[in-house]
Amino acid sequence: MTRVADRFRHGFDAEVVRAWIADDPDPQTATTLEHILAEAESGDEAAIADLEDRFSGPLVFGTAGLRGEIAAGPNRMNRAVVIRAAAGLAAFLSDTVGEGFRVVIGCDARYKSAEFARDTAAVITAAGGVAIQLPDQLPTPLLAFALSKRGADAGVMVTASHNPPADNGYKVYLGQRPLQAIESDPAAALAGAGAQIVSPADALIAEKIAAVESVASVARAESGWEHLDESIVEEYLSRIDDLRVRAEADLSIVLTSLHGVGAGVAEAALTRTGFTDVHPVASQQAPDPDFPTVSFPNPEEAGALDESFALAREVGAELIIANDPDADRFSAAIPDESAATGYRQLSGDEVGLLLGEDAAGRLEESGSHGAVFANSIVSSRGLAAAAASHGFAAVNTLTGFKWISRVPNLVFGYEEALGYCVDPAVVRDKDGISAAVTFAALASRLKAEGSSIEAELDRIRNRDGYFATAPLSFRLDDVSLIATAMAKLRENPPATLAGSPVAEVHDLSAGYEGLPPTDGILLLSESNSRVIVRPSGTEPKLKCYLEVVADPSELQAAADADARAAASAGVRLPAASASASLKPALKERLTSLSTELKTFFAL
């Protein structure tokens, strides 16, 4: 069989497009390419440029699997690309595990997700594997859970998480047997079982995908794969029961799934944990791949929680819980009279600190030893300080849960981008449902004790110091500017950060404190302010992570200064927390860092 080319070699080539069309199993995308090709052959420059982009190369398969716009052509997400990817994965598993390898497959509610999942099951079955398909439209954590519970060799989740509506993706996880075949360290294979792929697995699978001659050469079964029923959801909910987190006080909660697939499972999990006053955001609870009420279906984005804030004001909610569309991330907001919306959305670092402190406290009470906490290097250093206060170890990893979740002896891990792992024994990935339930239980316990989320943050900061963080991103249409900006930073880094001399510059591409090389730069000032700059792995962004630190003595000094000023003015002020007293100064330092970086990059 003639190999079907997956790129133009020397500019526009109509024959390459025709061959791809003939090999495309989807009449819709084939017809689209036929129309564009006709326009290109008539001399339409826009059509030629479009095809040159679609055939610039195959969609890159890496540690994030596949992710891209749903459209026709090799550099897009479509059935032809997915079938090739499934064939490559099957060949890899056949080589490492042998016949009868087991693959669990799940999908969200995005366009084409169900088709991509079925195509994967058909390819796996025909290749001699055992395909186990989850019910359609379940959260990503259910896929990771099913992989562990079923002892599968791999898992495939068809999702683009919180990407725009036009996108879809293909996430791959590996079980223990294939990792044992490719890892020289047995402990690494065990620790990584159930997690998303990292090197060298990504490159090995990519090689197999590249070796696929055509879609027509890939056998696909008509049936014969296993279909799990809704009992897998009950198994997952039973595992949340085993976490032994329960409502300890009545708590009014507003819940949104942002048009994703998490609503039913999240509501059931909250109910089983004892939360009865839950108010779903009705307009956003049903899965909808168009995400009609939000401009960007990501809880981190401005405006994403507007409808949640409106409902929370109406019902007087004490907590807002928001999941992203595939429910592997979770965001929380709490009442705040000073905020225009009446609520303050907590940062990922604040939620990570609170969940980590909660886990460490419970482990310390039980007398546990050897537990390890972890967060990505771009997340706050506050978790490490909290873990140390309880006598536990904490480690940094590279960005992404594919790294966090494979830390040996992990009990809790998080990343600042709203990802939290509270039960790594069975879900080796971020899980926005179990994390949300655990956080709600924490909020209810604090309420029962006469405390609050803000008071708990203050208590931790008074003990360990105040680690204040802020993100800064540059979204760029011209992605070449990202490499230019990184080169500029490497060649001539800033001499100061918020007025403090830069004491250390670390190029993360050379490795850092035992971490594998990655594209990034870390700057540390004499005042312990830190900036990390890296290209985004999933979006056309240059991302900067800013952190400023105040030790406990600074917190107390700020509170004392506020008290003296009030007394001198003859004014009686309500008792304020020490961290609240210092917050404006830390915010000013973060603003200064942000301004300096904007000027430095001039993007």
Side-chain angles (χ1 to χ4, degrees):
M1 178 175 289
T2 303
R3 179 177 181 82
V4 175
D6 54 17
R7 72 187 74 196
F8 291 160
R9 301 295 179 182
H10 306 288
F12 171 62
D13 187 335
E15 293 310 309
V16 168
V17 181
R18 288 193 178 92
W20 186 272
I21 291 170
D23 192 47
D24 194 333
D26 188 334
Q28 182 180 1
T29 47
T31 300
T32 297
L33 279 182
E34 287 173 351
H35 290 157
I36 300 172
L37 178 59
E39 292 172 351
E41 290 188 306
S42 70
D44 188 319
E45 293 295 331
I48 293 172
D50 185 11
L51 288 175
E52 287 177 341
D53 183 53
R54 291 172 188 256
F55 285 82
S56 60
L59 198 62
V60 175
F61 185 91
T63 54
L66 296 170
R67 191 172 293 190
E69 181 185 353
I70 306 167
N75 194 27
R76 300 289 190 270
M77 280 295 297
N78 51 66
R79 290 185 63 204
V81 167
V82 165
I83 289 168
R84 286 171 171 241
L89 175 61
F92 165 79
L93 292 171
S94 182
D95 285 353
T96 55
V97 176
E99 191 171 352
F101 58 86
R102 297 167 61 81
V103 182
V104 181
I105 304 159
C107 68
D108 66 9
R110 286 176 178 266
Y111 289 114
K112 299 288 186 179
S113 283
E115 290 177 66
F116 294 164
R118 284 192 290 273
D119 280 334
T120 300
V123 171
I124 296 299
T125 302
V130 177
I132 306 166
Q133 190 169 0
L134 271 66
D136 288 349
Q137 301 188 6
L138 284 182
T140 292
L142 266 293
L143 182 279
F145 173 79
L147 170 60
S148 295
K149 288 290 289 184
R150 294 295 186 269
D153 299 304
V156 171
M157 182 66 192
V158 182
T159 179
S161 190
H162 55 274
N163 272 40
D167 290 359
N168 212 328
Y170 198 83
K171 296 170 69 171
V172 177
Y173 302 71
L174 288 181
Q176 188 171 344
R177 290 201 298 173
L179 289 174
Q180 286 174 326
I182 64 174
E183 290 278 6
S184 57
D185 181 2
L190 180 62
Q196 291 182 56
I197 56 171
V198 297
S199 180
D202 58 337
L204 294 172
I205 297 171
E207 287 177 9
K208 296 295 185 181
I209 295 172
V212 176
E213 292 187 347
S214 62
V215 174
S217 70
V218 178
R220 282 178 282 154
E222 293 292 330
S223 60
W225 54 90
E226 180 181 347
H227 291 271
L228 293 182
D229 59 25
E230 293 294 332
S231 64
I232 190 66
V233 177
E234 176 59 30
E235 290 181 46
Y236 172 80
L237 293 171
S238 294
R239 178 62 192 190
I240 289 181
D241 292 342
D242 294 341
L243 295 178
R244 297 179 181 177
V245 293
R246 302 288 301 172
E248 297 185 28
D250 292 336
L251 200 69
S252 177
I253 299 173
V254 160
L255 173 68
T256 180
S257 69
L258 293 184
H259 303 291
V261 296
V265 182
E267 288 180 49
L270 286 167
T271 299
R272 291 172 69 122
T273 315
F275 294 97
T276 58
D277 193 8
V278 179
H279 305 267
V281 178
S283 62
Q284 298 177 334
Q285 290 306 91
D288 189 332
D290 290 317
F291 308 108
T293 68
V294 292
S295 57
F296 207 91
N298 182 352
E300 292 180 288
E301 296 289 332
L305 299 190
D306 284 354
E307 297 210 7
S308 297
F309 293 147
L311 179 58
R313 289 192 297 270
E314 180 183 330
V315 301
E318 298 161 277
L319 177 65
I320 295 173
I321 290 173
N323 287 124
D324 71 339
D326 69 329
D328 64 348
R329 300 173 193 247
F330 135 75
S331 184
I334 57 176
D336 185 341
E337 293 181 357
S338 67
T341 61
Y343 289 83
R344 180 173 81 84
Q345 188 173 4
L346 299 172
S347 72
D349 284 318
E350 287 176 317
V351 173
L353 177 62
L354 288 159
L355 287 173
E357 170 71 14
D358 180 55
R362 285 188 276 122
L363 285 167
E364 189 176 27
E365 286 180 2
S366 67
S368 296
H369 300 285
V372 176
F373 291 71
N375 56 257
S376 60
I377 190 172
V378 298
S379 301
S380 173
R381 291 166 284 174
L383 177 64
S389 291
H390 291 278
F392 296 115
V395 299
N396 283 322
T397 74
L398 294 184
T399 305
F401 260 84
K402 55 186 175 285
W403 299 107
I404 296 169
S405 61
R406 62 192 342 110
V407 169
N409 301 315
L410 181 70
V411 293
F412 171 74
Y414 94 97
E415 62 181 0
E416 50 75 41
L418 310 184
Y420 317 94
C421 179
V422 299
D423 191 15
V426 292
V427 179
R428 290 279 180 91
D429 199 7
K430 54 187 176 291
D431 183 346
I433 296 173
S434 61
V437 169
T438 304
F439 191 86
L442 168 62
S444 73
R445 173 175 65 79
L446 292 171
K447 179 182 178 181
E449 295 171 351
S451 185
S452 67
I453 292 293
E454 287 287 12
E456 178 70 354
L457 283 170
D458 191 48
R459 182 187 68 80
I460 300 167
R461 289 164 177 165
N462 283 336
R463 183 191 67 202
D464 301 330
Y466 194 156
F467 296 79
T469 61
L472 172 64
S473 294
F474 301 93
R475 183 179 287 273
L476 302 167
D477 293 330
D478 183 356
V479 294
S480 69
L481 294 175
I482 296 176
T484 301
M486 291 300 295
K488 178 181 180 180
L489 185 59
R490 285 188 167 95
E491 293 165 6
N492 186 30
T496 62
L497 295 176
S500 176
V502 172
E504 298 178 25
V505 179
H506 298 280
D507 189 339
L508 303 184
S509 66
Y512 176 69
E513 295 186 345
L515 296 179
T518 188
D519 190 5
I521 300 289
L522 184 153
L523 309 174
L524 190 68
S525 77
E526 291 182 359
S527 66
N528 207 19
S529 294
R530 188 187 71 174
V531 170
I532 297 178
V533 183
R534 60 179 282 271
S536 170
T538 57
E539 299 176 272
K541 283 183 177 182
L542 182 69
K543 304 188 78 172
C544 308
Y545 305 84
L546 321 179
E547 183 173 53
V548 297
V549 183
D551 63 34
S553 64
E554 286 184 82
L555 289 164
Q556 191 56 53
D560 291 345
D562 279 358
R564 287 194 300 271
S568 177
V571 176
R572 289 194 63 179
L573 297 176
S577 71
S579 58
S581 297
L582 194 59
K583 185 176 182 178
L586 294 179
K587 186 176 181 180
E588 185 177 341
R589 286 188 223 170
L590 288 170
T591 300
S592 178
L593 282 177
S594 181
T595 301
E596 290 171 356
L597 289 169
K598 289 176 181 176
T599 302
F600 177 85
F601 288 118
L603 293 173

